[in-house]
Amino acid sequence: MKTMQVQEQGGPLVAVEEARPVPGRGEVLLRIKACGVNFADTLMVKGTYQETPPYPFAPGMEVCGIVEEGAGLPVGTRVAAMIGHGGFAEFATAPAAACVPVPDGMSDAHAAAFLVAYGTAHVGLTHRARLQAGETLLVLGAAGGVGLTAIEVGKLLGAKVIACARGAAKCAIAKEAGADHVIDTDSGDIRTEVKALGGADVVWDPVGGAQFKAALRACKPEARLLPLGFASGEVPQIPANILLVKNLDVLGFYWGAYMTFAPEVIVRSLQTLFAWYGEGKLRPHVSHEVPLAEAADALDLLISRKATGKVVVTP
């Protein structure tokens, strides 16, 4: 099979021909139809992600594929699966228990782009942040993969959504996703504008850096802040005095960890999300579909912030 691998830390993606993987006990072999690309993939290539596999490896943690062989699922079943890495390839193995049958009306690209972004938004906002109807949700990085899904899920949960994005085009995409108010971070002031809108009850932050600091100061008393990534490159240091004065909660959140210590949380969440998709309540946004041979360009789209929503690699 063909695969695109990184051979050493920070190295380029290289085309490699190798044997198809053999499914182990409880696994299935998938013929990959599409692979969702995540910011975590770029961190794995650099060797800075919390779960970077040994080199060489193929990036790609979420896929849509057809079951070719193995135990637990009928051959020919189309599924979406979290595989950790290996999705930049024509075939990959996956635990049968981690595979979710894809609804007939869902495209391969939407299925590959669905699990991480929507799963992260739903578990984060319901299970961790306890977002309630009528509360105000502030979404940073709102035009990215987990930003747009947070807007959609937040609105379905009954929240008022303030979205922060960079530039008019990305702000327009956030508005189209359902945001009630949009702040252009190229020209606006997050702290001032959010406070003018009444403040935030929940902050959704895949960005970190200066935007986290501004959002922290725009929170209502007893607000909850979820740092789930640091796309700015800066991990913010949190002043405990502000937490004390406003009775704030900062809640660490890593969606993938639930696969290990509480998989039932993810299973329940995905059941809800696929039902919402079937009802037409969710609209995945895929800005780019990139051939496998050009997978390096897919990573560059995220690094350069030229993508909106999700990028998908198609073998």
Side-chain angles (χ1 to χ4, degrees), residues 97-110:
C99 296
V100 182
V102 175
D104 290 339
M106 179 180 269
S107 70
D108 295 333
H110 279 186

Side-chain angles (χ1 to χ4, degrees), residues 186-199:
D186 276 346
S187 56
D189 181 276
I190 292 173
R191 179 182 180 182
T192 300
E193 295 191 36
V194 173
K195 289 182 74 172
L197 291 167

Side-chain angles (χ1 to χ4, degrees), residues 27-268:
E27 291 186 331
V28 293
L29 176 68
L30 300 179
R31 179 186 294 273
I32 297 175
K33 303 292 288 183
C35 176
V37 186
N38 293 276
F39 193 73
D41 293 312
T42 70
L43 300 180
M44 283 188 195
V45 170
K46 293 193 296 183
T48 59
Y49 192 58
Q50 56 260 35
E51 293 184 5
T52 298
Y55 300 91
F57 70 91
M61 59 171 55
E62 60 177 337
V63 300
C64 172
I66 307 294
V67 176
E68 292 276 312
E69 61 178 277
L73 289 167
V75 171
T77 305
R78 191 168 65 112
V79 299
M82 271 289 294
I83 61 174
H85 66 277
F88 286 11
E90 293 179 314
F91 294 87
T93 57
C99 296
V100 182
V102 175
D104 290 339
M106 179 180 269
S107 70
D108 295 333
H110 279 186
F114 196 82
L115 298 184
V116 172
Y118 280 103
T120 297
H122 187 257
V123 173
L125 293 176
T126 59
H127 186 74
R128 290 296 284 153
R130 309 175 308 281
L131 179 67
Q132 304 297 309
E135 291 189 317
T136 297
L137 169 65
L138 174 61
V139 179
L140 307 181
V146 294
L148 287 175
T149 55
I151 293 172
E152 287 187 273
V153 171
K155 290 301 296 179
L156 285 171
L157 294 174
K160 179 176 78 172
V161 177
I162 304 171
C164 297
R166 189 175 182 181
K170 291 185 176 181
C171 285
I173 289 170
K175 188 73 173 176
E176 186 179 350
D180 298 287
H181 304 278
V182 177
I183 298 172
D184 186 343
T185 56
D186 276 346
S187 56
D189 181 276
I190 292 173
R191 179 182 180 182
T192 300
E193 295 191 36
V194 173
K195 289 182 74 172
L197 291 167
D201 295 292
V202 173
V203 176
W204 182 257
D205 179 23
V207 178
Q211 291 194 26
F212 177 90
K213 297 172 186 176
L216 180 67
R217 287 161 174 79
C219 283
K220 298 179 184 179
E222 295 194 328
R224 291 86 72 198
L225 299 94
L226 272 76
L228 59 141
F230 312 104
S232 67
E234 179 186 345
V235 178
Q237 302 303 302
I238 301 167
N241 61 314
I242 295 179
L243 305 185
L244 182 154
V245 170
K246 287 193 172 184
N247 292 289
L248 302 180
D249 292 333
V250 179
L251 305 168
F253 177 52
Y254 170 36
W255 177 79
Y258 284 92
M259 296 291 289
T260 302
F261 71 86
E264 68 278 3
V265 172
I266 289 182
V267 171
R268 289 196 301 266

